[in-house]
Amino acid sequence: MPIFGASASMVRGIKDKPDFIQQPRYTKQIENARDIPIVIYDTEAQRGFWVDGASALLHLVVTQIIRDSLKHKGSLYNDLKFNDSKFKHPAINGGSEAAVDTLREESNMKHIIHREFSSYDTEKLAVHSDDVTNESREPEAPSSNERKEIYELVSFKDMVCHTWSILEQIRDRQIDVATTHSLKSIQIPRGAELEGYEFMGIVEHEHLLTRRVVRFALNGGAWESLPRTMHAITLFGRCFGNIYKPAQNIERHICADWRTVPRGHGFLAIPNILVQEIKRRSCKNGEVEEYSSEIARGIWWTPSGNVFDTCGPSCQHICNRVQEFISSVPRWLSRFGLARKQSGDFATFGGDDDGAILVGKSSNVKVKVQTSGSRELSEEQRNETVSSHPSLAVD
């Protein structure tokens, strides 16, 4: 069956380019990170997790610390000879601000991770005068035992600031590209694609971060436009584990297939509180109306009535567990009757702040999900669907 594509172009004016203000203070950096949306996509498990930037920042830095402590001798992480206490990780039930609290914890900020030799202290040499010849002797250099060595200490706060600067560069570049290109193409895609950077590229301090495009399962088509609209940073990796899972008191009321985000289906898990933040931010920026089902510019969602239903004793799981975000064409096309209007009221969404929704197209996890090309990709073909884009040099 042939696939037809259509495209149109529009010119974005210079006035649309936002101004970026440098905020050097650490606490302000953490606040800014908290407001940045990030998608962590597991290319092996083929599932995504929408997280706030502070959580991703903490995960990146802790991964760096753990890897460095395993690869290199001399790590001072949790070394009580150099630190007053062990590093304080966030509690499992710490809530939506757990990462922010961990990053701001003073004992964590001061926690020494590395100690490296930097240089010697400035030497002060004694010069003796010869009473007979009145000539100066050669200055006496101190012995190696007398030299004062200067060591550079690297704290958790230092690592957070460095990693944040990388995320900030990625974010600024994405916004800059989106707002300064003179021509914008609106195309009907052939399949769901996600653009982003390698998680481990940041962890391993790679100087060049290559932007990649991953083509994923059809369920991804239900949410792929949200990261672009929100300028979310996407980080690819493997074996992230279950970033979100039901609370213990809820888990026993959910079918086994849904106790974690199903693997291999391209679903996106997003906490309710972050969905609400997307809506509030979009309203604040004047991009959507408060009492509408439009949660972000051009993206609509009307929660199904059984989105948070629990499963019964003999449940066959016929409820519509998975939600779908509907993308519309830009509003300026509405004059031609091309804009898709949605009914519904997002204000009626009463999800628990501690819960999460799954976004996709189908709740049937018993069948193999096919790609948008109507065929299942082999492992070799999946690897071939990852392409590279221009690299970003980080400071």
Side-chain angles (χ1 to χ4, degrees):
M1 174 179 172
I3 300 177
F4 298 96
S7 65
S9 299
M10 63 179 178
V11 177
R12 184 183 292 272
I14 302 238
K15 65 179 181 179
D16 293 319
K17 182 178 179 180
D19 294 324
F20 302 110
I21 302 174
Q22 296 293 331
Q23 299 284 357
R25 291 180 59 241
Y26 180 79
T27 54
K28 188 61 179 178
Q29 290 177 349
I30 303 306
E31 291 177 6
N32 291 344
R34 176 61 178 81
D35 292 336
I36 289 181
I38 291 184
V39 175
I40 294 179
Y41 190 80
D42 193 318
T43 56
E44 179 188 28
Q46 295 186 61
R47 56 184 183 176
F49 302 90
W50 188 282
V51 303
D52 65 86
S55 297
L57 178 59
L58 178 62
H59 191 30
L60 283 162
V61 174
V62 170
T63 303
Q64 291 174 21
I65 294 172
I66 299 300
R67 281 178 62 87
D68 289 347
S69 65
L70 295 175
K71 291 173 60 178
H72 307 292
K73 294 182 180 180
S75 172
L76 303 180
Y77 171 65
N78 280 342
D79 189 332
L80 296 182
K81 293 180 180 179
F82 290 85
N83 295 290
D84 295 333
S85 61
K86 290 190 174 183
F87 187 84
K88 297 177 182 178
H89 293 273
I92 296 177
N93 58 349
S96 61
E97 301 302 315
V100 171
D101 294 339
T102 301
L103 292 166
R104 285 180 171 177
E105 170 64 41
E106 186 172 355
S107 63
N108 286 346
M109 292 166 58
K110 295 178 178 178
H111 200 89
I112 307 248
I113 307 299
H114 298 292
R115 178 176 179 265
E116 296 180 353
F117 172 75
S118 175
S119 64
Y120 289 108
D121 191 9
T122 303
E123 294 182 347
K124 295 181 179 180
L125 305 181
V127 178
H128 302 280
S129 298
D130 191 320
D131 294 335
V132 178
T133 61
N134 201 27
E135 294 180 355
S136 298
R137 300 177 184 176
E138 290 294 328
E140 296 179 0
S143 65
S144 59
N145 294 331
E146 295 175 340
R147 294 193 186 104
K148 291 185 178 181
E149 298 175 344
I150 298 176
Y151 284 82
E152 179 181 356
L153 299 179
V154 179
S155 67
F156 173 75
K157 177 183 174 181
D158 295 330
M159 297 184 68
V160 170
C161 291
H162 175 73
T163 304
W164 162 248
S165 70
I166 296 174
L167 293 178
E168 192 175 33
Q169 289 179 66
I170 293 175
R171 169 79 165 178
D172 290 350
R173 174 172 176 172
Q174 288 186 170
I175 295 177
D176 189 60
V177 169
T179 57
T180 58
H181 277 187
S182 58
L183 294 179
K184 290 281 183 180
S185 295
I186 304 167
Q187 299 178 341
I188 300 176
R190 297 194 177 193
E193 293 182 342
L194 198 60
E195 298 183 15
Y197 297 86
E198 290 292 336
F199 181 92
M200 293 308 298
I202 299 176
V203 169
E204 295 177 351
H205 311 287
E206 292 182 4
H207 178 61
L208 292 178
L209 298 177
T210 302
R211 189 166 179 81
R212 300 184 181 278
V213 177
V214 173
R215 195 175 181 189
F216 51 12
L218 185 60
N219 278 307
W223 57 269
E224 60 154 344
S225 59
L226 183 63
R228 287 197 303 270
T229 300
M230 300 302 298
H231 301 296
I233 298 172
T234 298
L235 301 177
F236 297 119
R238 292 171 174 262
C239 304
F240 285 113
N242 297 313
I243 295 178
Y244 300 134
K245 59 181 181 180
Q248 292 182 352
N249 61 330
I250 299 296
E251 185 175 2
R252 64 179 181 271
H253 299 296
I254 300 178
C255 293
D257 290 336
W258 298 93
R259 288 174 186 166
T260 60
V261 180
R263 299 168 61 93
H265 291 268
F267 292 131
L268 174 71
I270 175 170
N272 303 333
I273 192 169
L274 296 186
V275 178
Q276 295 165 10
E277 287 180 8
I278 290 172
K279 175 70 175 184
R280 284 195 294 268
R281 188 175 297 118
S282 299
C283 288
K284 181 180 179 181
N285 295 336
E287 298 172 341
V288 303
E289 297 177 0
E290 181 178 0
Y291 297 102
S292 73
S293 59
E294 190 176 17
I295 62 172
R297 183 172 54 188
I299 298 177
W300 309 74
W301 176 48
T302 302
S304 62
N306 52 7
V307 58
F308 293 113
D309 283 359
T310 56
C311 302
S314 58
C315 177
Q316 298 299 316
H317 203 78
I318 59 175
C319 65
N320 187 19
R321 178 75 65 189
V322 173
Q323 305 296 294
E324 182 175 3
F325 293 157
I326 305 298
S327 300
S328 67
V329 296
R331 292 177 176 177
W332 64 273
L333 291 176
S334 60
R335 72 183 72 175
F336 303 107
L338 297 177
R340 182 182 300 178
K341 297 183 181 296
Q342 302 293 325
S343 60
D345 185 357
F346 179 82
T348 62
F349 174 58
D352 188 344
D353 286 351
D354 294 332
I357 64 171
L358 292 181
V359 187
K361 288 184 176 292
S362 172
S363 294
N364 190 346
V365 295
K366 297 298 184 182
V367 297
K368 293 183 178 180
V369 176
Q370 295 179 323
T371 65
S372 57
S374 300
R375 61 189 178 89
E376 184 181 5
L377 295 181
S378 66
E379 183 64 29
E380 180 180 352
Q381 289 172 318
R382 286 195 191 103
N383 293 335
E384 292 175 353
T385 60
V386 181
S387 58
S388 298
H389 282 259
S391 300
L392 171 68
V394 295
D395 298 331

